[in-house]
Amino acid sequence: MNHIEKSFAKTRVLNDISMHVEEGEFVALLGPSGSGKSTLFNLIGGMTSPDEGTILLNDNIIHGQKGLIGYMPQQPSLFPWRTVIENVVLVQELSGKPNYEEAKEWLKKVGLQDFQNAYPMELSGGMKQRVAFIRALLSKQNLLCLDEPFSALDEFTRIEMQKWLLSVWEDNRKSILFVTHSIEEALFLADRIYILTKRPATIKEEIIVPFARPREESLLNANEFFQLKQKLFNLLRDEIKVGE
């Protein structure tokens, strides 16, 4: 994204946003509520176009083009009348080529092989999120945009899902852009973090996360982790104070 500007009516939401995601990289976005993080996803996904600037995917401008990224929203958004496996192949089905064998393999990898014929109402919150993520993976897009996918989960389930996401990502290394309100989550998952200001959003700071991979849960208690967490907390606290 190069020098992106976006307004709705008289409200400017994004102001000169420039950022990038490398192939196979995990990048997180942190910012105050209402800072335009979801608007960025809508622009990348082709739901709307920038007023100024360019958005490129593999060096091609993609303004207003849909179907070029994988997307996972805050809620799993599973169709209740479809079984787990039918939900998993939905994106492939829309393109006319559902691959049930591949879907079964992925469900086995994530421990849901016994639930492939179950309906969403029979699943826990964490299980629903796994189904939604596998559906995004099977879209075959190289860039996945994840919009606070674990925000509705309890703390213990959330940590387990973070570890699960990293294990799956390590195996296939899709490029990921991950929106979160959790500083700890961003530090645990990402290679780099962009800090957004209050609206109209600009990039306040880019943080390179120094922790080696694979990440272990013990990292959450490390002194280096706490110090960087405090730095990010102060950056975001300043933005919230400015916006009050």
Side-chain angles (χ1 to χ4, degrees):
M1 307 186 81
N2 297 319
H3 305 292
I4 296 298
E5 307 266 350
K6 184 64 182 178
S7 297
F8 294 99
K10 296 182 178 180
T11 302
R12 175 167 287 191
V13 179
L14 304 177
N15 181 34
D16 196 25
I17 294 283
S18 294
M19 51 183 279
H20 69 281
V21 181
E22 299 289 348
E23 185 175 351
E25 188 179 29
F26 200 126
V27 175
L29 286 176
L30 272 174
S33 296
S35 59
K37 299 183 293 295
S38 294
T39 299
L40 283 169
F41 273 12
N42 287 335
L43 289 166
I44 296 169
M47 302 302 292
T48 185
S49 297
D51 300 331
E52 301 288 342
T54 55
I55 305 172
L56 298 100
L57 182 63
N58 297 326
D59 297 325
N60 298 310
I61 294 176
I62 60 169
H63 299 178
Q65 297 185 44
K66 303 179 181 68
L68 300 180
I69 65 166
Y71 175 68
M72 183 175 171
Q74 295 180 27
Q75 300 299 325
S77 299
L78 304 178
F79 287 124
W81 60 87
R82 295 178 68 110
T83 64
V84 165
I85 195 165
E86 288 171 343
N87 271 286
V88 165
V89 301
L90 178 60
V91 176
Q92 293 182 331
E93 187 177 306
L94 292 173
S95 65
K97 299 178 181 178
N99 188 331
Y100 283 91
E101 289 307 312
E102 183 180 28
K104 289 177 182 178
E105 282 299 312
W106 269 106
L107 289 172
K108 183 176 181 180
K109 288 179 183 178
V110 303
L112 293 177
Q113 66 270 26
D114 294 335
F115 294 88
Q116 66 181 34
N117 295 316
Y119 290 90
M121 65 176 295
E122 302 174 61
L123 307 181
S124 68
M127 293 164 74
K128 290 176 184 177
Q129 291 299 80
R130 293 186 192 191
V131 174
F133 184 71
I134 296 306
R135 179 178 59 192
L137 272 181
L138 292 183
S139 69
K140 301 302 182 183
Q141 308 302 342
N142 291 325
L143 174 65
L144 302 182
C145 290
L146 311 184
D147 191 357
E148 297 189 77
F150 307 142
S151 60
L153 302 177
D154 65 79
E155 188 66 23
F156 294 106
T157 304
R158 185 170 181 155
I159 292 172
E160 289 304 310
M161 287 301 298
Q162 289 167 1
K163 293 191 294 184
W164 174 83
L165 173 60
L166 284 180
S167 68
V168 174
W169 175 75
E170 290 282 0
D171 286 342
N172 58 82
R173 288 284 179 154
K174 298 266 187 179
S175 302
I176 290 181
L177 187 58
F178 189 99
V179 165
T180 178
H181 278 99
S182 169
I183 296 171
E184 191 169 273
E185 183 169 68
L187 286 173
F188 185 60
L189 295 176
D191 298 307
R192 286 187 299 116
I193 301 170
Y194 285 107
I195 306 293
L196 298 178
T197 67
K198 67 180 182 65
R199 191 176 65 234
T202 61
I203 301 293
K204 180 170 186 174
E205 193 156 344
E206 176 187 353
I207 304 292
I208 297 175
V209 181
F211 310 123
R213 295 192 184 277
R215 306 264 168 91
E216 303 293 339
E217 188 176 347
S218 58
L219 174 64
L220 300 175
N221 298 315
N223 187 51
E224 296 83 1
F225 188 92
F226 177 79
Q227 290 176 350
L228 192 50
K229 179 180 176 181
Q230 191 65 40
K231 177 181 177 179
L232 268 65
F233 176 82
N234 290 333
L235 287 169
L236 288 169
R237 182 177 60 182
D238 290 344
E239 282 307 312
I240 295 171
K241 284 182 176 179
V242 169
E244 291 176 346

